[in-house]
Amino acid sequence: MFNDFFETWKNVNDAMKLPSKWREIVFYSEGPWLTKHFRPIIEELSNNRDKNITLFTSSKIDNIDLEKTQNLKIFFIGNHSARTYLFRKFYAKLMIMSTPDLQSMQLKREKATIYYFLHHSPCSTHMIYQEDAFDHFDGMFCIGPYHENEVLERERKKSLRRKKLLKSGYPYFDNLKKLSSNLNNDSNILIAPSWGENSIVNLCLFELVNKLIDLKQNIILRPHNRSYIKNKKELLKVINHFKENKFFSLDNDSDSAISMNKSKILITDWSGISFEYMIQKKPILFIDVPPKVNNKNYKEYSYLPIEITMRDEIGEKIKLEEINNLNLSKLENAVSKATSKIFNNDKFVSKNFYNYGNSVKVICDQIEQIR
């Protein structure tokens, strides 16, 4: 702990001495689960467009295949006082981040820096996030028209300063589109919950895993990294109980594509992984728990969050109270119904997401044009 304290302050002091060429394009990441979304953009800008890139990270293990990237400086800044100081004092021509709540929490704006938000999930902006989560950004790389509509409506309602909304897309879809031509047909069921009070980790994960193992189904459990903080007791109960079971495996890899590719079905609650799994054109089952709501006023807006509207279009819901009575016939019936909706996926993608399969190039073009 003390070593980290001194290391982060040394790194911040070194960063404050950076010449202007290393301040042109700066990324901030909380850890590898976010850096995976930045990585293809950083690689394109650095290796193919000869741009100097600086990456600030709060994780010591945040090096996802970036060690050999040209023109890149990486600084470990932790998530305590050194990071807070850096954000207040470090000028960057452009700061790109996937952490919301700029200015309202520990991460305060430097007065002359331009801040853009890059999404790490295709979810909407006005239910799972705090109400003012994006108010203090100068711009946003929008995944689809729903992001533009939601943000513009809030800006009108609250008389907020308009931010630049770019028609960008979702970089992780680019990778998933490539993988979709070489999918694995392993017989695993991937359980990938969200985190928080209404997560299936908190409400029914033990019962769900236990029931599926009774049915001799191979399970891959992929917890959200925040569950190890917010739902730690319930999550560890499941892991410790089933870790020696031959039908159970645990996935903590920063890249969800590995376990998605090794599975035949996804079971989730309100996790954004459902959008990613949809690209693989495999069936999705939603455990019908209450949604994760961090903005109690989201119903004041005219647009329903996409994570609500998409559920009936691309998957099949299972009621929470049905889990204990789940049998192989009921499971197969739910999977069959979900499978019948896969033909909707291409239409859903073209309607809701910009630049599918080409968003990295588009975003890099947009970054080069930001002034």
Side-chain angles (χ1 to χ4, degrees), residues 189-253:
I189 294 178
L190 173 61
I191 302 177
S194 183
W195 59 274
E197 181 181 357
N198 292 329
S199 165
I200 59 177
V201 177
N202 211 35
L203 297 179
C204 65
L205 182 60
F206 187 93
E207 292 80 2
L208 177 62
V209 172
N210 192 52
K211 176 58 69 173
L212 291 172
I213 286 177
D214 281 348
L215 298 175
K216 295 182 168 47
Q217 301 297 305
N218 294 310
I219 304 301
I220 301 174
L221 175 63
R222 179 178 172 78
H224 193 286
N225 66 287
R226 295 285 290 172
S227 285
Y228 284 99
I229 301 171
K230 297 296 185 180
N231 307 110
K232 184 176 181 179
K233 180 180 177 181
E234 295 82 3
L235 180 58
L236 293 182
K237 176 184 174 183
V238 173
I239 293 171
N240 291 332
H241 185 85
F242 294 105
K243 62 184 179 182
E244 303 298 332
N245 193 293
K246 67 178 182 179
F247 293 107
F248 179 85
S249 61
L250 181 67
D251 173 29
N252 282 318
D253 196 287

Side-chain angles (χ1 to χ4, degrees), residues 23 45 50 65 122 199 229 247 265 362:
R23 297 169 181 259
L45 289 170
D50 200 31
D65 299 330
S199 165
I229 301 171
F247 293 107
I265 302 164
V362 170

Side-chain angles (χ1 to χ4, degrees), residues 36-87:
K36 74 173 186 179
H37 298 280
F38 296 147
R39 179 176 61 80
I41 299 170
I42 290 174
E43 289 176 337
E44 171 66 19
L45 289 170
S46 180
N47 296 342
N48 299 332
R49 305 193 186 204
D50 200 31
K51 300 293 183 183
N52 294 312
I53 306 295
T54 298
L55 170 65
F56 294 128
T57 174
S58 291
S59 171
K60 272 191 168 182
I61 61 169
D62 195 0
N63 57 3
I64 304 177
D65 299 330
L66 289 173
E67 299 96 330
K68 297 180 182 178
T69 303
Q70 305 169 27
N71 309 320
L72 173 67
K73 289 185 180 293
I74 303 176
F75 294 86
F76 166 58
I77 62 171
N79 54 15
H80 297 295
S81 57
R83 181 184 69 164
T84 301
Y85 176 84
L86 179 80
F87 261 78

Side-chain angles (χ1 to χ4, degrees), residues 94 126 140 257 284 322 348:
L94 173 63
H126 60 308
M140 178 183 288
I284 302 170
E322 292 177 350
F348 185 88

